[in-house]
Amino acid sequence: MEEIDRRIVTLLARDGRMSFTDLARETGLSVSAVHQRVRRLEKRGVVRGYAALVDYDAIGLPLTAFVSIKPIDPAAADDAPERLAHLGAIEACHSVAGDESYILKVRVASPLALEELLNQIRTSANVSTRTTVVLSTPYEHRAPELIGEPDEPGDKPREKA
């Protein structure tokens, strides 16, 4: 990926609503050149979409937890993501290496709601759970640091600006 495309991706990751005019100013390109590059990045799947960042406290979902799951029967089919997809409180499902098979990020209204969700997870996917409750989140949704990455496999990283 070209350095200028890395810069555009980094800027959009920080502010998905940044205008083409602002992107042009930040990159030193013309507005039409930025527009073409953004469309190309979208077409290639580098930029997959744009989303609003939600204040979960404000919408009544102040409790975040990470739930590690592993199958009760290790010989059972590895279909937990499909079995849990209907549970809207699960924000993310990550396949992981280690003792557990997946780690789920969940958001709920209360400890009672978390307890109910854990029961649904166990029942729906026939898994055991280990839960870590988040006390605070100093940061998340950080933009990737792409400046200085190699263009092709084997290239050496360039100096950061």
Side-chain angles (χ1 to χ4, degrees):
M1 181 186 300
E2 292 180 39
E3 185 68 31
I4 197 70
D5 288 339
R6 281 189 191 80
R7 180 77 178 134
I8 291 169
V9 169
T10 299
L11 290 166
L12 286 174
R14 288 183 186 147
D15 179 3
R17 295 182 68 179
M18 184 175 265
S19 70
F20 291 125
T21 302
D22 290 340
L23 283 168
R25 182 174 35 258
E26 291 289 326
T27 60
L29 297 174
S30 69
V31 173
S32 63
V34 166
H35 187 264
Q36 288 175 355
R37 284 181 178 266
V38 169
R39 293 295 172 240
R40 193 172 338 133
L41 290 165
E42 291 170 344
K43 187 173 183 177
R44 287 178 33 211
V46 175
V47 175
R48 297 185 335 203
Y50 304 88
L53 298 179
V54 176
D55 179 345
Y56 287 93
D57 289 343
I59 63 168
L61 299 172
L63 197 156
T64 302
F66 291 96
V67 181
S68 300
I69 63 172
K70 67 179 178 179
I72 291 174
D73 176 6
D78 183 12
D79 60 355
E82 293 81 10
R83 289 175 168 232
L84 299 173
H86 70 281
L87 298 174
I90 300 174
E91 181 178 311
C93 175
H94 303 279
S95 176
V96 296
D99 195 35
E100 284 89 8
S101 300
Y102 296 93
I103 296 177
L104 313 173
K105 181 179 182 182
V106 304
R107 296 192 190 261
V108 293
S110 67
L112 178 60
L114 178 59
E115 184 177 18
E116 291 169 357
L117 177 63
L118 292 173
N119 286 331
Q120 290 177 307
I121 289 169
R122 289 183 197 116
T123 303
S124 295
N126 196 30
V127 294
S128 62
T129 61
R130 184 175 56 85
T131 304
T132 303
V133 173
V134 174
L135 300 177
S136 68
T137 304
Y139 52 83
E140 76 181 334
H141 305 296
R142 295 174 71 173
E145 182 62 51
L146 297 177
I147 298 169
E149 294 292 319
D151 277 342
E152 301 292 332
D155 286 356
K156 292 182 179 172
R158 290 181 295 279
E159 293 294 318
K160 292 185 179 182

